[in-house]
Amino acid sequence: INFNKKIFIYFFFITSLLISYFIGENSSGGAKADYYSTNKYIEAFKISINYGLELFFKDQQLHFPFFYILISFLDELFGNLFLHILYLLISSLIPVIFYKVLKKKFPEANIDILFFLSLIIFLSPYFRSSAVWITTDNLALLFFMLSINSYVIFEKDKKNYLKRSFLCFFFLILASYIRHYYSLFFFFYLILMQPKLKLKENFFIIIFNLILSIPALVYVFFFIKNISISGNFHT
């Protein structure tokens, strides 16, 4: 398949997402409900960061608030329609990054097969519903895919190990700020990178991760403090 045909097929799937937005597709079953249940946080953060955080603490939300802060800012800046279209386009980058990862990881494989494998993501009900209803899943997955892409480059590279590892952990941290369970991959990456890293480089990586994790650590501190004061905890 030539490049032009791949572009046509790719934009066909993007168009299908746009149609899904206008008809309100909710094939995963829960994305629409999640959107309306969390919209109050977006509206709260539009008023102020403090007001939004107070509501987060009041509801004992386990998730980090950073996604809702970002969405509230974009909604206020561009409007709801533009925000939805923007999120659809951002979500559409996930199959592109996945395709790039597959080509790097399997350089001997048929690239047409890899291309069609990457397009399967467009058929996922969870991917489509997240794209339409602006849930946290797709943005977190995009950053995680960028993290994997950086790791594959690290794996294949013959130099610049520290630079590649920084990029890998940087995108992983961004994914973790949106969906905190991605932070578990920190240990997997660190273990897998050991054959190519020196002791000093490990130290730099740990410091790098600690610095970028400061906002999350501050939030967790105030979250726990709020629980101890209120005496309540809701999952």
Side-chain angles (χ1 to χ4, degrees), residues 138-179:
N138 279 5
L139 188 58
L141 180 59
L142 174 64
F143 286 133
F144 184 58
M145 289 304 304
L146 287 169
S147 174
I148 292 175
N149 184 61
S150 297
Y151 174 73
V152 172
I153 295 173
F154 169 91
E155 197 177 40
K156 301 288 185 180
D157 205 352
K158 302 298 181 183
K159 55 182 180 179
N160 298 321
Y161 297 135
L162 188 60
K163 176 185 175 183
R164 300 300 182 189
S165 64
F166 280 158
L167 279 173
C168 178
F169 285 110
F170 173 73
F171 289 122
L172 180 64
I173 288 172
L174 291 180
S176 301
Y177 270 117
I178 300 169
R179 304 286 285 185

Side-chain angles (χ1 to χ4, degrees), residues 164-199:
R164 300 300 182 189
S165 64
F166 280 158
L167 279 173
C168 178
F169 285 110
F170 173 73
F171 289 122
L172 180 64
I173 288 172
L174 291 180
S176 301
Y177 270 117
I178 300 169
R179 304 286 285 185
H180 55 271
Y181 50 70
Y182 280 112
S183 59
L184 294 173
F185 285 90
F186 167 82
F187 301 103
F188 290 102
Y189 280 145
L190 200 59
I191 292 170
L192 291 172
M193 289 177 176
Q194 288 311 301
K196 292 187 176 183
L197 292 177
K198 300 175 183 177
L199 181 61

Side-chain angles (χ1 to χ4, degrees), residues 3 6 19 30 52 61 65 67 70 72 74 90 92 94 104 125 148-149 151 153 161 192 194-195 206 211 217:
F3 179 77
K6 287 180 179 177
I19 294 171
Q61 271 290 335
F67 176 82
L70 173 63
S72 67
L74 293 175
I90 290 173
S92 298
I94 295 173
K104 292 185 182 75
I148 292 175
N149 184 61
Y151 174 73
I153 295 173
Y161 297 135
L192 291 172
Q194 288 311 301
I206 292 172
I211 291 173
L217 296 173

Side-chain angles (χ1 to χ4, degrees), residues 15-72:
T15 303
S16 76
L17 284 183
L18 290 171
I19 294 171
S20 294
Y21 166 66
F22 287 110
I23 66 174
E25 179 184 340
N26 185 35
S27 49
S28 71
K32 183 177 180 179
D34 288 343
Y35 173 76
Y36 284 112
S37 66
T38 58
N39 192 59
K40 63 179 180 179
Y41 301 120
I42 296 172
E43 295 301 320
F45 282 119
K46 283 184 184 179
I47 298 172
S48 72
I49 299 293
N50 287 338
Y51 184 73
L53 288 175
E54 285 176 5
L55 184 59
F56 244 70
F57 290 143
K58 179 183 176 182
D59 291 351
Q60 304 290 345
Q61 271 290 335
L62 288 174
H63 298 293
F64 289 135
F66 306 106
F67 176 82
Y68 303 102
I69 294 173
L70 173 63
I71 295 301
S72 67

Side-chain angles (χ1 to χ4, degrees), residues 74 85-95 127 138-139 142:
L74 293 175
I85 301 301
L86 177 64
Y87 200 70
L88 287 174
L89 295 176
I90 290 173
S91 297
S92 298
L93 294 175
I94 295 173
F127 167 82
N138 279 5
L139 188 58
L142 174 64

